[in-house]
Amino acid sequence: VYKRQSLLKAEIRVQQAPEDATRTWYFFVAVLPCAAGSVRQGLLLRGIDAGVGAEVSDDCATLLGYEDCPTLRDVFPRIIALPMWDGIPDQALCLVAEAVNRLVP
């Protein structure tokens, strides 16, 4: 079984968990080095669905009117939930990873 993060370009940041934690790949969120919307569009054209923006998380800082979260403001448009889950066939996993890598500059 592949380590999902090792199939993606180094510029794509993925969630981290302590080594002793029980891991699940149910909700695989990554931070892209570019806008997630354009990558999602390219994935959809390849028959791969992914979540972006409010489908992944609420931008709580903006919703609450906070101006002191500049990192969130930068990261929110770049997050994407990739279709990876426990038990995903290796062929499908590689297909998703290769498509994302092609679409991310």
Side-chain angles (χ1 to χ4, degrees), residues 51-65:
V52 298
E55 296 171 332
V56 179
S57 173
D58 293 326
D59 183 352
C60 294
T62 300
L63 291 172
L64 295 172

Side-chain angles (χ1 to χ4, degrees), residues 3-6 8-10 12-25 27-31:
K3 286 190 173 186
R4 281 127 174 98
Q5 62 269 28
S6 68
L8 297 170
K9 286 181 172 182
I12 300 170
R13 292 186 8 229
V14 298
Q15 67 253 20
Q16 301 295 312
E19 288 300 320
D20 61 344
T22 301
R23 297 166 188 250
T24 181
W25 299 105
F27 198 62
F28 192 88
V29 177
V31 179

Side-chain angles (χ1 to χ4, degrees), residues 67-103:
E67 297 294 325
D68 59 349
C69 302
T71 301
L72 178 63
R73 199 171 301 122
D74 174 58
V75 169
F76 189 75
R78 299 185 295 123
I79 58 172
I80 190 166
L82 297 174
M84 297 183 185
W85 58 89
D86 291 334
I88 185 174
D90 286 346
Q91 183 179 7
L93 176 65
C94 290
L95 180 81
V96 171
E98 288 170 8
V100 172
N101 287 337
R102 283 192 196 111
L103 293 165

